[in-house]
């Protein structure tokens, strides 16, 4: 379906609000028509029960544009500026007092924050006290929407795998790299459908997924297994399918991190990465997944706090770059949906300018939604003052608000339908969803080395970070567990326990020096050593002395069960490595 462009909506606004006409809006390219095929069923899995989207989703067109224009015409300047923000609010209840809300917003409760500042949305996190159980989350989102004059985007970072903000509340769906290992876009679609349906049942209407970064750098400290892989075509197919899956579930999706975060050795949470891809390299490596996301009608594209000097020589991160966000993303790729920043509390965007100036520059660069400003009141005041002074024009402000309202109309959010707690109980972690997730995990298991030596035989010892959990899934196995960073005493204990075993299974996850020492110690016992790699499989290049290696890409229970099946011979690994390894 076609998204009505801000130009169309602003023309309607001019008609609806006579006497308010200003300068003519520059023409913008309309986005491609969305193509949303019926849910596909991956091999060996039943498709999730589709969650119907609202009528606003099915027929936005001119009627939705008129609704958006009418809303915009009634909004005050302060309300419009508020729509540009998506902060974190604190506490498990919409009406519950929390000290962080008082300190950051000057009011006690999440509902009071919403009523005072009219933000376009909020994002939920367990560390903010927002996530305890399904009923609590549903009640929180219901209370937040009740407090909002304009219904909220309620977002979550639920990529699955390593970034799973809702934890055990939702189905343990394998992350992107595991999905990439199946080679099946239908699995990416099904994973998004499952997650999207569960988020929608909880009152969360925007998932900050899928990750569209092509992980071509084995040393990447921030993307890794969050990516579908290192092949741009495969990643693009998975991203496009995931966008469709989210839409079929009735929630919005956000492709991230534009223009690409896959070739860096710096974490943008703690520093400012510089990626030196030429324009031709960017077209070949980074662009394909974003092109696919746009083609499938993605709702939001998130900017990256990375510098790409060949795309913008200014030295500013992409989040603050008009050549990248407006020139490349909007003008060249034709994207006219919502552009959001990555979290503005990350160091990568804070190195050059203050927190107030960052917010203003992001809007001027082409951003519509300011995510998680570290000092909300400072950023809000700076943007409001910039509009009043003319630095940010009223027309520019209206374009962003129009995009945000259009997204809300398309996803049925403006309808204000309340969350039904009973719906959450019947959807979240349903047996059907768990079956689909397990099927994806089973298809993702990849035999990187020594497949012919499976299944394991005799007495089995399991060690490493997930040693005890995996051992519990293997009949007769014993465990010598360690943490993510095995101590010398834990390694010595595992080595002693290995004396009574025929095979040692070592679980690893993005192995650093301590896990490497554990593998070396197990190899030194002379026993058969099997590695179960639970993160990005690049670690298998560094580790030595093992006989067999399985990659399952996650340490979630679903992926560990798939590993147990492969170890015992009830599953033949069929996954393919989604990244290149030097073996």
């Amino acid at each position: 379906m076609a998204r009505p462009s801000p130009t169309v909506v602003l023309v309607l606004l001019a008609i609806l609000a006579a006497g308010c006409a200003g300068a003519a809006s520059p023409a913008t390219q309309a986005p491609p028509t969305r193509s949303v095929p019926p849910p596909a069923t991956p091999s060996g899995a039943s498709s999730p029960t589709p969650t119907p989207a609202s009528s606003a989703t099915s027929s936005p067109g001119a009627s939705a544009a008129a609704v958006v224009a009418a809303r915009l015409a009634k909004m005050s300047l302060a309300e419009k500026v508020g729509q540009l923000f998506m902060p974190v609010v604190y506490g498990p209840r919409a009406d519950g007092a929390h000290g962080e809300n008082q300190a950051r917003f000057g009011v006690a409760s999440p509902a009071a924050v919403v009523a005072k500042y009219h933000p376009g949305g909020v994002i939920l996190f367990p560390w903010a006290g927002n996530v305890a159980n399904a009923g609590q989350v549903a009640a929180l989102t219901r209370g937040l929407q009740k407090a909002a004059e304009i219904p909220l985007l309620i977002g979550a970072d639920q990529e699955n795998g390593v970034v799973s903000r809702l934890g055990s509340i939702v189905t343990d769906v394998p992350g992107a790299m595991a999905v990439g290992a199946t080679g099946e876009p239908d699995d990416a679609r099904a994973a998004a459908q499952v997650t999207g349906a569960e988020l929608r049942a909880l009152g969360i209407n925007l998932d900050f997924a899928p990750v569209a970064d092509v992980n071509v750098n084995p040393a990447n400290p921030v993307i890794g297994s969050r990516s579908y892989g290192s092949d741009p075509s495969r990643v693009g197919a998975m991203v496009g399918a995931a966008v469709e899956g989210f839409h079929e579930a009735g929630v919005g999706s956000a492709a991230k991190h534009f223009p690409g975060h896959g070739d860096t050795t710096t974490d943008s949470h703690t520093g400012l990465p510089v990626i030196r891809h030429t324009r031709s390299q960017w077209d070949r490596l980074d662009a394909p997944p974003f092109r696919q996301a746009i083609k499938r009608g993605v709702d939001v594209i998130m900017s990256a706090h990375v510098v790409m000097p060949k795309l913008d020589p200014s030295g500013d991160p992409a989040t603050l770059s008009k050549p990248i966000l407006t020139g490349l993303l909007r003008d060249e790729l034709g994207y006219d949906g919502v552009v959001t920043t990555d979290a503005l509390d990350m160091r990568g965007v804070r190195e050059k300018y203050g927190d107030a100036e960052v917010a203003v520059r992001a809007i001027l660069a082409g951003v519509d939604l300011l995510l998680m400003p570290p000092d909300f009141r400072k950023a809000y005041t700076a943007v409001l003052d910039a509009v009043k002074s003319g630095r940010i024009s009223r027309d520019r402000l209206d374009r962003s608000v129009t995009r945000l309202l259009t997204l809300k109309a398309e996803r049925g959010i403006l309808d204000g339908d309340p969350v039904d707690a009973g719906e959450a109980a019947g959807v979240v972690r349903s047996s059907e969803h768990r079956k689909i997730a397990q099927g994806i995990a089973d298809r993702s298991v990849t035999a990187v080395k020594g497949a012919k030596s499976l299944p394991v035989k005799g007495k089995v010892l399991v060690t490493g970070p997930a040693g005890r959990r995996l051992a519990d899934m293997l009949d007769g196995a014993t465990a010598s567990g360690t943490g993510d960073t095995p101590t010398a005493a834990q390694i010595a204990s595992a080595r002693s326990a290995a004396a009574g075993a025929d095979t040692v299974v070592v679980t690893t996850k993005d192995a650093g020096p301590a896990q490497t020492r554990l593998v070396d110690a197990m190899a030194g016992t002379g026993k058969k050593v099997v590695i179960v790699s639970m993160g990005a499989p690049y670690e298998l290049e560094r580790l030595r002395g093992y006989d067999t290696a399985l990659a399952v890409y996650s340490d979630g229970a679903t992926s560990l069960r798939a590993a147990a099946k492969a170890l015992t011979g009830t599953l033949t690994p069929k996954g393919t490595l989604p990244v290149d390894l030097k073996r």
Side-chain angles (χ1 to χ4, degrees):
M1 64 188 174
R3 173 192 284 116
S5 73
T7 301
V8 172
V9 177
L10 289 173
V11 169
L12 283 167
L13 173 61
I15 295 171
L16 292 168
C20 297
S25 303
T28 58
Q29 180 179 347
T33 300
R34 284 201 176 123
S35 174
V36 183
T41 303
S43 174
S46 57
S47 65
T49 303
T51 305
S54 74
S55 58
T57 304
S58 59
S59 56
S63 60
V67 169
V68 168
R71 282 270 190 172
L72 187 70
K74 296 177 181 178
M75 294 173 67
S76 69
L77 176 60
E79 288 172 332
K80 290 179 181 179
V81 170
Q83 287 294 297
L84 307 184
F85 288 86
M86 181 177 270
V88 178
V89 291
Y90 292 82
R93 292 176 45 186
D95 59 355
H98 194 289
E100 285 295 325
N101 295 321
Q102 191 68 51
R104 294 171 181 270
F105 304 101
V107 292
S109 70
V113 173
V114 170
K116 179 177 181 179
Y117 286 104
H118 312 285
V122 297
I123 183 169
L124 306 184
F125 285 98
W127 51 258
N130 304 143
V131 179
N133 57 65
Q136 170 268 320
V137 173
L140 171 61
T141 60
R142 186 167 57 248
L144 289 169
Q145 294 291 18
K146 185 177 179 181
E149 186 171 338
I150 297 174
L152 298 161
L153 292 170
I154 299 183
D157 256 339
Q158 188 60 33
E159 298 173 11
N160 297 320
V162 68
V163 177
S164 298
R165 305 303 187 195
L166 297 177
S168 61
I169 288 178
V170 296
T171 296
D172 175 31
V173 178
M177 192 162 281
V179 175
T182 72
E184 295 290 341
D186 282 350
D187 280 333
R189 178 182 286 107
Q193 285 177 315
V194 166
T195 297
E198 297 193 4
L199 294 182
R200 190 173 189 272
L202 293 169
I204 297 167
N205 50 43
L206 175 64
D207 195 358
F208 286 104
V211 172
D213 302 313
V214 181
N215 202 85
V216 295
N217 192 328
N220 195 323
V222 65
I223 303 301
S225 62
R226 297 168 64 192
S227 167
Y228 289 105
S230 61
D231 178 78
S233 295
R234 177 181 287 200
V235 174
M238 297 291 176
V239 166
V243 169
E244 291 177 346
F246 283 119
H247 289 169
E248 288 157 9
V251 301
S253 62
K256 59 189 186 185
H257 310 78
F258 190 84
H261 208 317
D263 189 8
T264 175
T265 56
T266 301
D267 184 344
S268 52
H269 292 84
T270 57
L272 181 58
V274 178
I275 299 176
R276 303 192 182 278
H277 288 182
T278 64
R279 174 57 195 263
S280 63
Q281 286 176 310
W282 180 82
D283 280 326
R284 177 172 56 87
L285 293 174
D286 301 294
F290 291 103
R291 291 184 187 276
Q292 283 296 318
I294 293 168
K295 181 179 179 181
R296 311 299 176 91
V298 71
D299 305 273
V300 177
I301 291 181
M302 177 184 283
S303 68
H305 303 327
V306 301
V307 173
M308 280 199 179
K310 300 297 184 180
L311 302 183
D312 178 0
S314 70
D316 284 341
T319 297
L320 308 180
S321 170
K322 189 170 185 177
I324 291 175
L325 296 186
T326 298
L328 185 57
L329 179 57
R330 293 212 188 278
D331 296 343
E332 291 194 39
L333 299 190
Y335 178 65
D336 203 29
V338 170
V339 174
T340 181
T341 69
D342 202 345
L344 292 178
D345 60 357
M346 294 164 61
R347 186 176 175 186
V349 77
R350 301 177 74 189
E351 287 195 345
K352 198 171 179 181
Y353 307 103
D355 291 333
E357 181 67 7
V358 161
V360 174
R361 284 179 176 257
I363 299 297
L364 292 173
V367 162
D368 305 299
L369 188 62
L370 300 163
L371 181 64
M372 299 169 60
D375 188 326
F376 177 88
R377 286 185 283 189
K378 180 183 289 186
Y380 176 88
T381 300
V383 174
L384 183 62
D385 288 347
V387 176
K388 288 178 177 178
S389 72
R391 186 181 178 193
I392 296 174
S393 71
R394 300 294 179 108
D395 178 74
R396 173 68 191 84
L397 174 63
D398 283 354
R399 286 182 174 280
S400 283
V401 177
T402 297
R403 290 189 185 101
L404 289 159
L405 294 177
T406 299
L407 165 56
K408 293 178 182 185
E410 288 184 342
R411 293 293 148 229
I413 299 166
L414 287 185
D415 293 347
D417 293 334
V419 175
D420 183 343
E423 179 186 359
V427 174
V428 174
R429 299 192 77 249
S430 69
S431 59
E432 182 183 13
H433 286 180
R434 286 184 278 117
K435 179 180 178 182
I436 292 167
Q438 192 61 62
I440 295 170
D442 290 352
R443 289 186 289 278
S444 76
V445 179
T446 307
V448 181
K449 180 182 178 182
K452 292 182 180 180
S453 65
L454 296 173
V456 295
K457 297 180 178 65
K459 296 180 180 179
V460 177
L461 172 72
V462 191
T463 187
R468 296 191 185 280
R469 290 193 294 138
L470 181 55
D472 287 343
M473 300 175 185
L474 300 171
D475 288 342
T478 58
S480 183
T482 72
D484 288 341
T485 306
T487 65
Q490 288 171 331
I491 293 172
S493 178
R495 185 181 179 94
S496 176
D502 300 300
T503 300
V504 179
V505 177
V506 187
T507 59
T508 59
K509 185 177 182 181
D510 301 322
Q515 289 185 38
T516 299
R517 288 193 291 271
L518 174 65
V519 173
D520 289 344
M522 296 303 97
T525 65
K527 307 293 183 176
K528 176 183 174 182
V529 175
V530 179
I531 299 291
V532 175
S533 173
M534 306 180 299
Y538 300 114
E539 63 184 4
L540 296 175
E541 297 177 333
R542 305 189 300 271
L543 300 174
R544 296 288 183 269
Y546 56 87
D547 303 283
T548 303
L550 295 175
V552 297
Y553 312 99
S554 170
D555 64 354
T558 306
S559 294
L560 290 181
R561 278 192 292 271
K565 293 178 183 180
L567 291 169
T568 57
T570 60
L571 178 155
T572 300
K574 297 291 181 62
T576 58
L577 278 171
V579 295
D580 295 325
L581 297 185
K582 298 174 183 177
R583 290 178 285 158

